């Protein structure tokens, strides 16, 4: 399926053909309009077939069996690791850690780095647009170590207010955790600039790439960051697998977060020593087929020109902006198109987002409603919940029309 | 079709709720949230000397289902003995709504009921201990 990088012409109809779930009716017979890729992306056939291939032909445990299957599956898993390395521009493959997902990756750093190195008086810099996964682990690490949380304020249109950065990024700042792209506002954050400023203060920076990595090429060296985390399932790969990338010297200085098999070098009665990277952070049996499937997912998206994919997703976003702004009572949250990715969160006056999602579902339109694991952000927005449409590479302009029509329908049901 | 769940009586209760507000001197009150969609319901009860709910008020914000369910519940429980409300089952609450809720929307429909259960189980009765 995958050809060499960026060589396939991007045509949405052809892309849709690669996703079986988009080419069959919903169990109730309706046509699916899937606008919830920000929660989890659908899977192309090549990923599904790769999972089947692993489980059918060479499944066994990795790095252990001295037998044919063990060799085959280890080769596949390590091939996937190399695919990830190349995809994010990491210098060496040992820095690519397979985890259970973005949340597990962040916790590995919050436990392994923050709890080891933070001291009372140190500061961790966050902001309220962060997903709970990139918020609560730091909050709890601060409580455990006596460090202090500081917050980059947001502008009224939902961007990080960099004019306030000098106030909150200080000589006491030891760590900056920031999302590459807000899962609610869609805001694309200026990571390169934040990384340079963090490093100028001697702080490290972790980027939550759960939303940003699926929508554009990320190069960790270009960005100048210290840690990148993301999930397989949002990048058209399997769930239960994610990536922690960190600079070797940082990963080596960190303590492991989980202890057990595979992560040890030697175990004595009273003490143990740790395996070299990446094994030190891969305790227990990893999600084997999922790791291989993630490699297949990355190879799938790599066949397309990332600029063409981005242009398509932003065309969808621009159309959603235009159509939603024309509907009275609709409020869109977050910045203008030039500062956002393909996520549009909104409310409709008089109709709770949960009711919107339910009514949309009558028309086969799948969106997310709720606080999207960002309670501090919704507190900031003074909204208990929002409705969110998020677009993937397989969405069409007609599906954006269906979104707008679903809003009009919901308004009608609620007599608005 | 879940359009069925936005039937006239649900929208009526959502738009013109029964006893939405506050009691001046409630016997007890409790508030809970449905973190799934951010619904909040606070229930205030006046319980008389015979351990019956004489007045029930709610306040809250959230989706139509959660708010309508609170309104319907307040209407239903006035005059009922606390002991009877302790025995009330979740299915009875869902039946009161007269609309089919999916598993995820049942959390909305049962929020007020959950708050009521907390209240009635915390209520000290003057019944002699046997």
């Amino acid at each position: 399926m995958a050809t060499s990088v960026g060589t396939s012409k991007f045509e949405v109809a052809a892309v849709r053909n690669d996703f079986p779930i988009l080419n069959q009716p919903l169990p109730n017979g309706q046509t699916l309009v899937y606008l919830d890729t920000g929660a989890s992306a659908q899977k192309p056939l090549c990923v599904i077939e790769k999972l089947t291939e692993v489980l059918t032909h060479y499944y066994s445990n990795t790095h252990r069996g001295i037998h044919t299957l063990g060799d085959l599956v280890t080769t596949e898993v390590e091939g996937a690791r190399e695919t990830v390395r190349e995809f994010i521009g990491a210098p060496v493959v040992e820095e690519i850690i397979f985890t259970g997902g973005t949340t597990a990756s962040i916790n590995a750093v919050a436990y392994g780095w923050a709890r080891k190195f933070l001291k009372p008086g140190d500061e961790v810099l966050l902001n309220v647009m962060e997903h709970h996964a990139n918020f609560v682990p730091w909050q709890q690490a601060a409580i455990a170590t006596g460090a202090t949380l500081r917050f980059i304020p947001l502008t009224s249109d939902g961007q990080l207010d960099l004019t306030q950065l000098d106030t909150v990024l200080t000589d006491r700042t030891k760590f900056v955790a920031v999302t590459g792209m807000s899962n609610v506002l869609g805001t694309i954050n200026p990571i390169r600039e934040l990384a340079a400023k963090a490093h100028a203060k001697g702080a490290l920076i972790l980027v939550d790439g759960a939303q940003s990595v699926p929508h554009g090429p990320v190069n960790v060296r270009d960005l100048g960051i210290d840690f990148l985390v993301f999930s397989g399932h949002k990048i058209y790969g399997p769930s239960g697998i994610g990536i922690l990338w960190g600079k070797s010297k940082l990963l080596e200085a960190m303590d492991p977060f989980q202890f057990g098999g595979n992560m040890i070098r030697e175990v004595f009665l009273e003490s143990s020593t740790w395996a070299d990277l990446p094994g030190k952070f891969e305790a227990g049996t990893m999600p084997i087929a999922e790791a291989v499937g993630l490699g297949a997912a990355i190879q799938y998206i790599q066949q397309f020109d990332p600029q063409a994919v981005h242009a398509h997703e932003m065309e969808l976003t621009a159309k959603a902006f235009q159509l939603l702004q024309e509907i009275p009572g609709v409020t869109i949250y977050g910045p203008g198109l030039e500062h956002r990715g393909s996520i549009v969160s909104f409310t409709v006056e008089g109709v709770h987002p949960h009711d919107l999602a339910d009514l949309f579902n009558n028309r086969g339109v799948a969106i997310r409603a709720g606080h999207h694991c960002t309670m501090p952000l919704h507190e900031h927005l003074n909204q208990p919940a929002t409705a969110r449409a998020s677009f993937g590479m397989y969405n069409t302009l007609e599906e954006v029309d269906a979104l707008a029509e679903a809003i009009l329908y919901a308004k009608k049901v609620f007599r608005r | 079709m879940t359009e069925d769940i936005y039937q006239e009586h649900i929208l009526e209760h959502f738009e013109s709720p029964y006893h939405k507000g506050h009691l001046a001197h409630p016997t007890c009150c409790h508030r809970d949230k449905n973190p799934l969609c951010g619904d909040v319901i606070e229930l205030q009860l006046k319980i008389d000397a015979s351990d019956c709910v004489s007045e029930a008020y709610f306040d809250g914000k959230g989706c139509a289902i959660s708010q309508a369910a609170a309104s319907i519940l307040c209407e239903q429980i006035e005059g009922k003995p606390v002991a009877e409300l302790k025995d009330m089952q979740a299915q009875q609450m869902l039946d009161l709504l007269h609309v089919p809720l999916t598993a995820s929307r049942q959390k909305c429909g049962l929020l007020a009921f959950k708050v009521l259960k907390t209240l009635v189980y915390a209520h000290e009765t003057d019944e002699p201990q046997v």
Side-chain angles (χ1 to χ4, degrees):
Chain A
M1 173 78 59
T3 54
S4 53
V5 173
T7 53
S8 292
K9 188 156 180 275
F10 182 82
E11 283 177 21
V12 68
V15 169
R16 289 180 74 81
N17 270 334
D18 292 335
F19 288 79
I21 210 165
L22 303 178
N23 294 292
Q24 58 187 322
L26 285 165
N28 65 6
Q30 284 179 319
T31 302
L32 170 66
V33 177
Y34 190 71
L35 304 181
D36 200 17
T37 296
S40 204
Q42 296 299 345
K43 317 305 172 198
L45 185 61
C46 63
V47 169
I48 298 166
E49 286 179 341
K50 195 73 191 180
L51 292 170
T52 306
E53 177 190 304
V54 175
L55 298 172
T56 308
H57 296 299
Y58 46 83
Y59 181 79
S60 65
N61 214 327
T62 55
H63 304 113
R64 288 174 180 82
I66 306 299
H67 49 62
T68 304
L69 296 184
D71 287 342
L72 279 172
V73 82
T74 301
T75 302
E76 287 286 331
V77 167
E78 292 313 306
R81 198 189 302 275
E82 170 58 22
T83 300
V84 174
R85 182 206 67 74
E86 190 247 318
F87 179 59
I88 64 169
V92 291
V93 75
E94 291 76 15
E95 293 177 347
I96 306 298
I97 317 282
F98 285 121
T99 68
T102 300
T103 301
S105 298
I106 295 172
N107 274 285
V109 183
Y111 275 86
W113 188 89
R115 276 171 169 72
K116 183 172 185 183
F117 294 113
L118 287 181
K119 295 180 179 58
D122 288 346
E123 293 177 357
V124 175
L125 190 55
L126 302 175
N127 68 85
V128 298
M129 79 168 76
E130 296 305 319
H131 187 284
H132 293 163
N134 199 27
F135 196 96
V136 183
W138 306 112
Q139 179 192 67
Q140 294 303 308
I143 291 169
T145 59
T148 306
L149 298 179
R150 307 241 9 213
F151 302 93
I152 307 172
L154 300 193
T155 61
S156 57
D157 70 344
Q159 299 187 66
L160 296 177
D161 187 352
L162 297 184
T163 65
Q164 305 290 314
L165 194 58
D166 290 341
T167 317
V168 290
L169 179 64
T170 71
D171 294 334
R172 291 185 298 278
T173 310
K174 293 292 180 289
F175 205 93
V176 179
V178 64
T179 184
M181 172 173 156
S182 161
N183 70 314
V184 176
L185 303 169
T187 313
I188 306 273
N189 286 320
I191 298 303
R192 197 175 282 109
E193 184 180 350
L194 286 167
K197 294 202 163 164
H199 288 159
K201 294 289 184 187
L204 300 176
I205 182 167
L206 174 143
V207 173
D208 172 358
Q211 296 293 341
S212 56
V213 169
H215 296 290
V218 168
N219 185 296
V220 294
R221 280 181 291 189
D222 273 4
L223 292 173
I225 58 179
D226 300 297
F227 296 100
L228 175 72
V229 298
F230 62 99
S231 293
H233 71 100
K234 287 191 181 11
I235 190 164
Y236 311 103
S239 56
I241 186 79
I243 296 296
L244 163 62
W245 169 80
K247 288 179 178 165
S248 297
K249 64 178 172 53
L250 297 173
L251 294 172
E252 281 160 5
M254 279 162 59
D255 284 337
F257 164 45
Q258 290 184 309
F259 303 94
N262 191 52
M263 55 77 64
I264 48 85
R265 180 190 306 276
E266 281 187 296
V267 176
F268 309 100
L269 287 182
E270 307 292 342
S271 65
S272 299
T273 57
W274 313 134
D276 289 334
L277 297 175
K280 175 181 167 184
F281 294 100
E282 293 180 349
T285 293
M286 67 163 64
I288 295 164
E290 289 78 2
V292 178
L294 172 57
I298 290 173
Q299 286 175 348
Y300 175 76
I301 62 171
Q302 280 182 322
Q303 70 184 299
F304 303 108
D305 171 9
Q307 302 309 324
V309 175
H310 179 75
H312 170 67
E313 291 177 347
M314 289 316 292
E315 188 184 6
L316 300 171
T317 311
K319 179 167 180 179
F321 248 63
Q322 185 208 331
L323 292 183
L324 268 59
Q325 278 168 345
E326 286 170 3
I327 302 175
V330 172
T331 304
I332 298 176
Y333 298 89
L337 290 169
E338 64 279 17
H339 297 296
R340 76 156 69 211
S342 55
I343 280 177
V344 180
S345 292
F346 59 95
T347 51
V348 178
E349 198 184 345
V351 190
H352 189 280
H354 226 102
D355 297 319
L356 282 176
D358 223 321
L359 288 165
F360 284 21
N361 188 52
N362 289 349
R363 310 185 134 219
V365 178
I367 62 156
R368 172 96 185 253
H371 54 62
H372 317 297
C373 299
T374 56
M375 282 188 178
L377 175 62
H378 280 76
E379 192 71 26
H380 171 80
L381 297 173
N382 198 25
Q383 293 291 332
T386 52
R388 179 185 74 183
S390 52
F391 306 111
M393 61 196 293
Y394 38 57
N395 287 121
T396 65
L397 291 166
E398 291 72 27
E399 290 180 312
V400 182
D401 286 320
L403 169 69
E405 285 157 15
I407 294 174
L408 294 174
Y409 159 70
K411 284 183 56 153
K412 198 170 150 219
V413 170
F414 270 71
R415 304 181 281 225
R416 294 281 168 171
Chain B
M1 290 280 280
T2 54
E3 188 173 349
D4 297 347
I5 76 175
Y6 298 104
Q7 284 179 13
E8 198 62 29
H9 67 283
I10 294 287
L11 292 174
E12 283 293 333
H13 273 281
F14 177 57
E15 286 165 3
S16 315
Y18 176 77
H19 277 193
K20 182 164 180 175
H22 295 272
L23 284 166
H25 302 287
T27 312
C28 55
C29 68
H30 183 61
R31 182 174 185 267
D32 206 348
K33 279 182 106 162
N34 168 18
L36 188 73
C37 52
D39 301 327
V40 184
I41 292 290
E42 178 175 311
L43 208 53
Q44 297 195 335
L45 302 181
K46 189 88 181 167
I47 298 175
D48 63 20
S50 59
D51 279 325
C52 283
V53 175
S54 55
E55 284 184 282
Y57 272 74
F58 82 99
D59 198 9
K61 53 184 180 178
C63 69
I65 300 301
S66 68
Q67 303 303 304
S71 171
I72 290 167
L73 186 67
C74 284
E75 210 172 54
Q76 282 290 321
I77 63 178
E78 287 189 345
K80 296 254 167 78
V82 170
E84 185 184 327
L85 296 175
K86 281 186 182 174
D87 290 337
M88 187 177 172
Q89 301 298 307
Q91 191 55 51
Q92 291 172 270
M93 178 71 229
L94 295 174
D95 291 346
L96 286 174
L97 299 178
H98 291 296
V99 289
L101 295 182
T102 58
S104 60
R105 292 316 294 276
Q106 286 186 10
K107 291 198 178 86
C108 311
L110 290 173
L111 178 58
F113 172 75
K114 190 178 155 208
V115 175
L116 174 70
K117 287 307 233 188
T118 306
L119 283 176
V120 294
Y121 275 97
H123 179 65
E124 301 278 338
T125 64
D126 296 329
E127 287 166 33
Q129 301 293 311
V130 184

